Amino acid sequence: MPHLWLIWLLFVTVYDIRQRRVPNWLVLVGAAFAIGVLAMNAQPFGVKWTEALMGSALGFGFLLLFYVVGLMGAGDVKFAGALGLWVGWHPLLPIWAMASLLALVHGALWLFLHRWPWFPQLALLLSGKPRGDDTTGLHKRARPIPYAAYLALAAAVWMVWGRQS
């Protein structure tokens, strides 16, 4: 089961880095799979229903504040809720901390390359600007930091190293 969870995290990471959004179907797949393994009592991280639901509510609710003030996209918030179903509420703080550090490095590098464009392709990749014409209106505001991708990477690191301590 952990391998399927890592594959889901990989899909979220790649999608968010490339598109700067996490589609609802991808969040729903992860949430449905988390509920399924909880129902079958096959949760790979030993998380029980109460802890999973608390993790989902905490992940969604805390990041919802950032969405409300315009600092985060809705996909990031929904992904945090689905992630909380998987890991419960205990590891959310270290996962958020690691994801926030990655986002800070991303933002600092983006600012540096924006002011001194030595590597224009890297600056474009970090900026998250849509490719081609945007007729759907999905990119009304630039979202240079793919926070869900960093949450997914931090969760994968937690799975591999953080649970051993």
Side-chain angles (χ1 to χ4, degrees), residues 14-75:
V14 170
Y15 209 103
D16 197 26
I17 287 173
R18 295 190 69 184
Q19 302 292 323
R20 290 304 196 271
R21 58 185 292 271
V22 180
N24 288 335
W25 67 266
L26 193 52
V27 172
L28 289 173
V29 164
F33 193 51
I35 290 169
V37 297
L38 280 164
M40 293 185 300
N41 203 21
Q43 218 284 345
F45 310 120
V47 174
K48 303 294 181 212
W49 277 101
T50 304
E51 188 178 350
L53 293 174
M54 286 175 55
S56 182
L58 185 61
F60 184 86
F62 182 68
L63 293 188
L64 184 62
L65 299 172
F66 292 95
Y67 171 75
V68 168
V69 296
L71 296 174
M72 190 167 291

